Amino acid sequence: MDDRTSEYGTILGADAKFKGDLSFDSAAKILGNFEGAIKAKGKVFIADGSTCKATVTAKEIEVEGHIQGNVQATERVEIKPSGRITGDIIAARMSMADGASIEGHVQIGPAGATGAKASAAAEMKPTARPQSVSPAQAARVK
Amino acid sequence: MAKKPSAKRKIRCYLCGRGFEVSTKTMSTTCPGCNRAIKIEDVLVKSYVPVNELQTCGRIKITKRGRVAARQIQSGEGIECDGAIDANIETEGTMKLGPKAVWRGRTLQSQSLAIADGARLEGDIIVPWTRAEKDTAK
């Protein structure tokens, strides 16, 4: 394994097709086709040639492939020359290379960071909604 | 003595999309497609510029102290911004945003986009984008 691959705890192979939700605590690398949602506390790398029809939420997102879906990064999004994003982007910082393509609404800056953090926090810790409990249910719980 | 033929430059009208050649020294001309006056020279913005439309077939450069507040900015050869832009942008060149650049608008359409780490953006982006030639034949 090369150095670049070894920094990623989770790797979705180039010949893999995945449908569903994935969440990681560390870094993840997507080489194949992914459909669903990705949530990571670390970095997500979408490799060249891979397609992601997904909502991607992470600390850092690096794109060399194609993402069809909304992208939200608490820190930064980096789009390489071969990278393509079709969807909305919210991030604190973004760097985009000449040749990359974007189609969607973009919000980059401190407002984007707070927005991303707030929504990430909301997703991670769903707010406890007051529930109406009948006296009978309360008695059962006790 | 024969006069040297002046160097030519290919441009496209930002109003109708018609492509034609002009001398490199030309600063403005009339478009043969739509017969309207168009600006060709490069634009340098060093301070606050509130305008309705900022249009040129050339390049637009906004320095770090420059700020453009407009309804629309159209540039044929690209925009380089180190300051702030509050406008819709259409460019057939490259849109370059420096590390301290700020863009806010409804749409940003450009051939290519280069964003330095630290730039702030808010709005819809369509990249790559090319201007469609309007049918001006009557």
Side-chain angles (χ1 to χ4, degrees):
Chain A
M1 249 187 230
D2 63 352
D3 291 342
R4 190 168 178 144
T5 310
S6 60
E7 72 179 90
Y8 297 97
T10 310
I11 298 164
L12 186 79
D15 57 347
K17 280 183 185 176
F18 187 93
K19 243 185 197 183
D21 294 358
L22 272 179
S23 53
F24 313 98
D25 277 342
S26 60
K29 188 175 190 176
I30 311 293
L31 298 159
N33 291 338
F34 185 92
E35 219 177 308
I38 300 171
K39 273 180 208 168
K41 286 175 188 166
K43 186 179 177 180
V44 172
F45 176 70
I46 312 294
D48 193 6
S50 66
T51 312
C52 252
K53 283 185 185 174
T55 304
V56 185
T57 311
K59 189 178 163 192
E60 247 181 83
I61 302 163
E62 202 177 322
V63 187
E64 276 185 12
H66 184 195
I67 298 179
Q68 261 181 290
N70 298 345
V71 170
Q72 211 171 73
T74 48
E75 272 188 16
R76 69 192 296 260
V77 172
E78 195 177 342
I79 311 170
K80 303 279 183 187
S82 58
R84 200 173 149 204
I85 297 177
T86 314
D88 299 349
I89 304 168
I90 301 174
R93 297 160 82 91
M94 180 164 109
S95 67
M96 183 178 169
D98 196 351
S101 82
I102 296 181
E103 210 176 316
H105 187 83
V106 173
Q107 195 178 347
I108 309 296
T114 50
K117 273 178 190 166
S119 56
E123 277 169 9
M124 281 169 196
K125 290 177 191 170
T127 50
R129 287 179 189 166
Q131 290 177 339
S132 58
V133 181
S134 66
Q137 279 176 321
R140 242 179 279 146
V141 171
K142 280 173 189 172
Chain B
M1 202 173 147
K3 208 177 174 185
K4 263 190 184 176
S6 60
K8 296 271 181 185
R9 164 189 184 187
K10 264 190 177 180
I11 58 156
R12 283 187 88 183
C13 172
Y14 49 76
L15 298 169
C16 70
R18 168 84 174 256
F20 58 100
E21 278 190 348
V22 292
S23 161
T24 49
K25 288 171 187 169
T26 311
M27 291 171 93
S28 64
T29 189
T30 306
C31 171
C34 60
N35 291 316
R36 284 192 280 179
I38 55 168
K39 200 172 175 179
I40 295 167
E41 64 184 333
D42 293 347
V43 176
L44 179 68
V45 179
K46 287 182 181 175
S47 59
Y48 177 54
V49 178
V51 285
N52 196 21
E53 280 167 341
L54 181 62
Q55 298 165 311
T56 180
C57 289
R59 205 180 299 272
I60 296 172
K61 188 177 162 72
I62 297 145
T63 61
K64 63 179 181 181
R65 285 179 186 271
R67 193 188 155 202
V68 180
R71 194 175 60 83
Q72 193 174 38
I73 297 177
Q74 286 177 307
S75 159
E77 291 176 354
I79 301 167
E80 204 176 311
C81 179
D82 289 316
I85 299 175
D86 198 341
N88 297 331
I89 295 170
E90 269 184 18
T91 175
E92 284 179 82
T94 302
M95 173 83 204
K96 283 183 187 171
L97 288 156
K100 288 188 177 173
V102 179
W103 169 70
R104 216 176 151 186
R106 208 174 65 220
T107 52
L108 189 162
Q109 294 166 304
S110 75
Q111 179 59 51
S112 64
L113 178 63
I115 305 168
D117 198 349
R120 287 196 270 165
L121 297 93
E122 198 179 338
D124 292 348
I125 295 179
I126 300 169
V127 175
W129 170 85
T130 41
R131 184 191 308 281
E133 191 170 335
K134 282 180 194 167
D135 187 16
T136 50
K138 284 176 187 172

